[in-house]
Amino acid sequence: MPWETLQDFPEIVEKIAFHEPPINSFLPTAAADQASNNQIVETALTGDMQAAMKLFFKAMRIGDLDAQMMGKPAVNADAAATDARIKGMQYWFKYEIRQYTSRKNRYCQIKNISR
């Protein structure tokens, strides 16, 4: 994660290109977005993956057709494959959804480094 690396270890960074910068932290809805993300993650981690996906689709304003396709269960999956898929999805929910809204960014520090 380039943003975190730049903040935590600026001495090792020469150049950086941001991919998916933490724009949520700039928006006036940042606190509500973070609360929504936390609700999505908690729902996923308590095992209600379908409800978590619906909350995620709503938060991301995903269209009906995309939500239908993304929310389809694996066809002909055995119990082990289904369990592995659920664990993978829970990992994604826990670590990916929160990463852009949960970190406190120090923009002044970044500005000073870039000079």
Side-chain angles (χ1 to χ4, degrees):
M1 298 206 213
W3 189 263
E4 289 82 356
T5 304
L6 181 57
Q7 284 188 150
D8 298 342
F9 306 99
E11 68 279 1
I12 66 168
V13 178
E14 291 181 24
K15 290 184 182 182
I16 197 162
F18 288 111
H19 170 71
E20 298 179 343
I23 192 156
N24 289 17
S25 57
F26 290 113
L27 300 176
T29 58
D33 293 340
Q34 186 175 33
S36 174
N37 285 348
N38 286 333
Q39 180 188 13
I40 293 166
V41 172
E42 292 307 317
T43 302
L45 296 181
T46 58
D48 194 347
M49 198 57 68
Q50 283 301 108
M53 291 298 286
K54 287 179 182 178
L55 290 171
F56 177 72
F57 297 156
K58 182 180 176 188
M60 296 294 111
R61 297 179 185 89
I62 292 175
D64 291 339
L65 181 58
D66 288 333
Q68 240 179 20
M69 299 308 290
M70 291 170 69
K72 283 188 175 181
V75 178
N76 297 327
D78 62 20
T82 299
D83 188 50
R85 183 172 182 241
I86 295 296
K87 285 187 185 338
M89 290 173 71
Q90 286 176 325
Y91 180 90
W92 182 83
F93 273 101
K94 187 174 181 179
Y95 295 105
E96 289 292 322
I97 288 181
R98 286 183 174 158
Q99 73 175 319
Y100 302 115
T101 59
S102 297
R103 180 160 173 105
K104 297 295 182 202
N105 298 301
R106 301 182 302 270
Y107 303 107
C108 294
Q109 180 184 357
I110 301 296
K111 185 177 178 182
N112 291 335
I113 293 168
S114 66
R115 290 184 177 173

